[in-house]
Amino acid sequence: MTYQIGIGPNVRKSVYFDATVADGVESFSVYNHMLIPSHFGDQQAEYDSLMTGVAMWDVAAQRQIEIAGPDAAQLIQYLTTRDMGKTRVGQGRYVPICNHDGILINDPVLLMLAPNRYWLSIADSDIELWASAIAAERGLDVRVFEPDVSPLAIQGPLAEQVAVDLFGDWVKSLKYFGFKQTELDGIPLVLARSGWSKQGGFELYLQDGSRGHELWQRVKAAGAAYGIRPGAPNDIERLESGLVSYGADGRLQVNPCNPFEISLGKLVDFDSPDDFVGKAALLKIKAEGAKRRRVGFVIAGAPLLGCQHSLHVQTTDGKVVGVLSEFAYSRRFSKNIGVGMMSTEIESASQDLIIDLDGVGREINVEELPFA
Ligand code: THG
């Protein structure tokens, strides 16, 4: 049986939607209540352009939450587990956000635009509600809102060439996560060296949604010389690289994780005197020791089709000891790989582990991340 998912008024279209449809998008997912392309029909070629050339991705669904006003820095510090003390204008940072129980509820990239003005470039959960409620309850003098900002990513070894051709040589001096306010033919945007892959690249944070189509065409034209292809954040590459995917690897409502479990423990700063949401809970969790740990998995047998989600990892006598959150066949490593969580108790016991794939048991082994 096949079925369709209707696009109702609750699902927003990206400002690049028409451009991606014109360029042959074949599948969408929903992220932050917005459609995000998931592929354009040739996933092998899309992977190859990311690894050896350059890919362009509509990542407008990575919505920005702007926090602006006299107490903006204070609110940002209270929202994230990291010490924001050394954050500078023009430098992005990866900032986990937890709830009061110490559960990760988002893992945004933070952009400090000015001393009193920040963007949280969020993963898939409602941080605008969270941040505005916390600000109001604490009596902070800030504005929390979603600005008209829509990121477009170019990723891959040739992405820098495309950025140089579009903006000039100065882009080479941008450090990782560094960004600059600029424009392209009068289209206002923030250019950052960032993106959800380990292949390098940039994100163009368009600041005028009415010019989405124009920006898409400009990037596509500049990239033509380098064989640019439209694609989407690539699950196979992210598994190979060990990047965290909030939502796929765990989310508040499904497989809730604390930062220590999901390998973001180094981004929890207890040393600074500042309080942050979840600090007390995380101190307790840390003292008790992690009960689970994020690991890589290798799954035996024939190459797996596509990218699959969420299976129990069991001992041969049927005890559930972990979860395989996402997995796929990796051509780079010539094996089926995945990421997930394992109970810290069972790991040392080096037991035989299996997953049940469509009624057939497959042997699965733990491997340290990143894969090699
Ligand atoms: N770019 C922008 N916004 C985003 C993402 C992005 N919002 C949603 C989602 N992605 C947020 N999640 C991540 C997860 C990992 C990284 C970035 C955003 C990442 N991690 C590096 C790593 O793990 O090696 C570096 C982390 C670090 O500096 O510590 O890049 O992609 N705009």
Side-chain angles (χ1 to χ4, degrees):
M1 173 194 158
T2 61
Y3 53 85
Q4 294 186 323
I5 298 175
I7 301 173
N10 293 328
V11 184
R12 304 181 281 179
K13 288 178 183 170
S14 145
V15 299
Y16 310 114
F17 178 82
D18 292 339
T20 60
V21 169
D23 282 348
V25 64
E26 288 197 5
S27 173
F28 285 102
S29 185
V30 177
Y31 194 88
N32 285 319
H33 314 280
M34 180 173 279
L35 291 168
I36 182 167
S38 43
H39 68 78
F40 286 71
D42 187 344
Q43 294 182 65
Q44 193 119 321
E46 287 166 39
Y47 174 87
D48 289 339
S49 71
L50 170 62
M51 300 304 289
T52 63
V54 53
M56 61 189 287
W57 303 344
D58 167 5
V59 286
Q62 292 169 358
R63 301 308 297 163
Q64 307 308 297
I65 305 306
E66 182 160 332
I67 296 180
D71 295 334
Q74 202 182 325
L75 177 60
I76 290 288
Q77 180 59 81
Y78 189 64
L79 288 174
T80 134
T81 62
R82 289 190 79 171
D83 179 359
M84 292 288 99
K86 294 195 189 77
T87 308
R88 287 177 288 112
V89 173
Q91 185 58 36
R93 296 187 88 185
Y94 185 39
V95 295
I97 295 180
C98 289
N99 70 8
H100 298 82
D101 299 324
I103 300 297
L104 187 73
I105 58 167
N106 209 292
D107 65 337
V109 174
L110 173 79
L111 287 79
M112 182 177 181
L113 300 154
N116 286 329
R117 184 169 170 238
Y118 299 83
W119 286 342
L120 288 168
S121 184
I122 60 170
D124 183 28
S125 73
D126 293 320
I127 294 304
E128 184 181 6
L129 293 174
W130 180 257
S132 57
I134 287 175
E137 292 293 320
R138 294 182 74 80
L140 297 177
D141 185 4
V142 291
R143 281 215 308 141
V144 178
F145 61 101
E146 186 185 89
D148 175 7
V149 175
S150 298
L152 191 171
I154 52 174
Q155 296 286 296
L158 301 182
E160 186 171 86
Q161 278 308 314
V162 178
V164 165
D165 288 1
L166 284 168
F167 299 100
D169 263 336
W170 65 267
V171 306
K172 291 186 190 163
S173 65
L174 278 179
K175 295 205 188 75
Y176 186 65
F177 274 160
F179 65 86
K180 202 167 175 269
Q181 178 78 56
T182 183
E183 50 92 26
L184 190 66
D185 304 336
I187 306 173
L189 61 89
V190 165
L191 180 71
R193 190 188 286 278
S194 58
W196 199 63
S197 85
K198 284 280 187 186
Q199 307 314 312
F202 295 81
E203 292 180 302
L204 287 64
Y205 291 77
L206 169 66
Q207 290 164 291
D208 178 353
S210 72
R211 303 187 75 175
H213 201 80
E214 208 182 323
L215 182 63
W216 183 271
Q217 301 312 330
R218 257 319 241 113
V219 172
K220 187 175 154 185
Y226 307 98
I228 202 166
R229 299 180 66 102
N234 194 287
D235 289 320
I236 296 179
E237 193 277 342
R238 85 94 185 178
L239 289 173
E240 292 172 342
S241 301
L243 285 178
V244 170
S245 177
Y246 177 81
D249 294 350
R251 67 164 61 239
L252 176 62
Q253 299 85 353
V254 183
N255 189 26
C257 308
N258 66 56
F260 302 110
E261 292 174 319
I262 201 166
S263 72
L264 298 180
K266 62 182 187 306
L267 306 183
V268 180
D269 288 328
F270 291 125
D271 293 341
S272 106
D274 294 303
D275 195 15
F276 58 81
V277 180
K279 189 173 188 178
L282 287 167
L283 275 166
K284 192 154 170 273
I285 288 166
K286 185 162 191 197
E288 285 169 0
K291 302 201 168 44
R292 302 187 302 164
R293 198 168 72 91
R294 183 165 194 264
V295 295
F297 287 107
V298 173
I299 303 126
L304 297 160
L305 287 177
C307 199
Q308 305 185 47
H309 293 99
S310 227
L311 287 179
H312 290 312
V313 175
Q314 299 175 299
T315 59
T316 41
D317 53 8
K319 190 170 164 229
V320 174
V321 290
V323 55
L324 172 62
S325 41
E326 189 167 69
F327 54 106
Y329 179 71
S330 160
R331 281 191 289 143
R332 194 196 320 176
F333 298 122
S334 307
K335 57 194 180 189
N336 296 308
I337 61 168
V339 298
M341 296 277 179
M342 274 294 287
S343 151
T344 45
E345 272 164 41
I346 210 75
E347 257 182 287
S348 50
S350 73
Q351 286 190 6
D352 289 337
L353 301 173
I354 51 166
I355 52 166
D356 180 337
L357 207 61
D358 302 323
V360 181
R362 281 218 199 188
E363 185 189 329
I364 178 166
N365 290 292
V366 171
E367 196 166 299
E368 291 306 315
L369 289 169
F371 292 103

